[in-house]
Amino acid sequence: MRKLLVNIDHVATIRNARGEGVPDPVEAAKVSERAGAAGIVFHLREDRRHIRDDDVYRLKETVQGLFDFEMAATDEMLKICTGIKADLATLVPESRQELTTEGGLNMKLLREDFRDRVLPWLHDEGVAVSLFIDPEKADIEIAAELGVEAVELHTGTYANATTSQAQTRELERLREAAILAHELGIRVNAGHGLNFENITPLLNTVPNLQDISIGHALIADALFNGLENTVRKMADVIAGKMSHNTGGQEAAG
Ligand code: PXP
């Protein structure tokens, strides 16, 4: 069944802007789970620009559902992630200059390092692995060959598409990728750039989706509607209990 994972990074971004303790991302995680999120995602970046180490340890004490540790595959992060026994490590590319994660992992480049260093490290400590990848056949085949539990399909290009033709083309790429990953026995997650407007066409077009990871749009909507209302509404849309009005398209059941 499709479920919502809430990314709470931007609650920490707001907190850090004033160097004080509020708003607390751990409180946001509690509210999100109470409102129907199936788990919490956080990205501990090398530069600690939003989530910090002590947030990770406090989240571990609090989160009841999936504890999804998004990170670059550096030795430092692998140590923290396995030390804390995350449920899932979502591996992403990371560069200091970017405002947010800008694309999927380059699996052709990373294949050997992931096979020899990263995946044994995580799997030996019982941490499941998801690879954040573009909806590309070759990357999905490498993910299958590496034996990861999940892929998270990068929906950013779809979300940023400015014409309906480009949007349709991106949805088709995501659909084909989701079918292939599912056929190869990999769990299919998705995320990046999703919001109340673009979620319904995605859900209606792309089969086999499981966990949908959303951050920025939820925190933005929550400023006006309250985090609990916002998360409950998105969790219901994703679970197919409610459709969001996007020109008459109904959320798939
Ligand atoms: N999934 C991954 C791998 C991400 O890096 C991000 C951004 O932190 C998200 C999902 C959530 O994206 P957004 O904040 O645009 O909803």
Side-chain angles (χ1 to χ4, degrees):
M1 189 180 123
R2 285 186 322 236
K3 297 195 209 86
L4 170 65
L5 302 181
V6 174
N7 178 314
I8 47 143
D9 293 348
H10 295 306
V11 179
T13 304
I14 299 169
R15 175 197 60 192
N16 297 354
R18 287 297 291 264
E20 293 169 17
V22 291
D24 183 358
V26 179
E27 262 322 292
K30 278 190 207 159
V31 171
S32 297
E33 290 202 299
R34 193 163 70 222
I40 300 298
V41 191
F42 56 88
H43 184 176
L44 185 67
R45 298 183 74 105
E46 185 197 14
D47 62 9
R48 308 303 199 264
R49 68 172 73 157
H50 36 57
I51 295 294
R52 299 172 181 151
D53 298 57
D54 72 302
D55 295 327
V56 176
Y57 296 105
R58 290 189 308 123
L59 284 165
K60 180 65 182 171
E61 297 294 306
T62 311
V63 172
Q64 311 278 310
L66 191 81
F67 186 81
D68 182 354
F69 195 140
E70 182 185 330
M71 60 188 221
T74 60
D75 283 3
E76 182 197 20
M77 289 302 151
L78 288 163
K79 246 180 241 160
I80 298 171
C81 179
T82 51
I84 203 162
K85 302 267 178 239
D87 297 322
L88 184 68
T90 295
L91 301 176
V92 298
E94 186 178 305
S95 86
R96 273 184 176 253
Q97 293 76 25
E98 69 193 0
L99 289 177
T100 180
T101 313
E102 282 173 354
L105 293 160
N106 183 339
M107 290 315 303
K108 282 194 202 82
L109 213 69
L110 296 166
R111 177 195 230 142
E112 272 180 37
D113 182 41
F114 275 32
R115 185 192 62 210
D116 299 341
R117 177 183 66 98
V118 178
L119 298 182
W121 193 332
L122 290 163
H123 282 156
D124 286 354
E125 300 291 336
V127 179
V129 178
S130 176
L131 302 179
F132 183 59
I133 53 172
D134 293 317
E136 289 289 335
K137 184 169 185 270
D139 289 336
I140 292 163
E141 287 170 348
I142 295 172
E145 170 200 307
L146 290 172
V148 295
E149 285 73 16
V151 288
E152 180 176 329
L153 298 177
H154 181 24
T155 51
T157 312
Y158 159 64
N160 291 332
T162 51
T163 64
S164 70
Q165 288 95 320
Q167 199 181 53
T168 304
R169 194 175 55 238
E170 287 309 316
L171 282 174
E172 183 55 24
R173 284 178 73 210
L174 288 159
R175 195 179 77 81
E176 285 174 12
I179 291 170
L180 177 63
H182 181 71
E183 277 172 7
L184 294 174
I186 310 173
R187 183 179 180 85
V188 187
N189 300 334
H192 213 283
L194 297 175
N195 58 37
F196 283 108
E197 305 312 314
N198 61 27
I199 188 73
T200 303
L202 179 84
L203 299 179
N204 284 345
T205 312
V206 181
N208 311 319
L209 292 176
Q210 302 271 334
D211 292 341
I212 316 273
S213 170
I214 311 183
H216 185 262
L218 293 180
I219 304 309
D221 188 84
L223 284 177
F224 302 102
N225 296 309
L227 186 59
E228 190 154 352
N229 293 327
T230 296
V231 171
R232 181 160 294 119
K233 188 163 126 191
M234 186 60 92
D236 285 351
V237 169
I238 286 176
K241 292 186 204 155
M242 172 184 166
S243 70
H244 189 69
N245 185 4
T246 53
Q249 298 188 63
E250 289 294 306

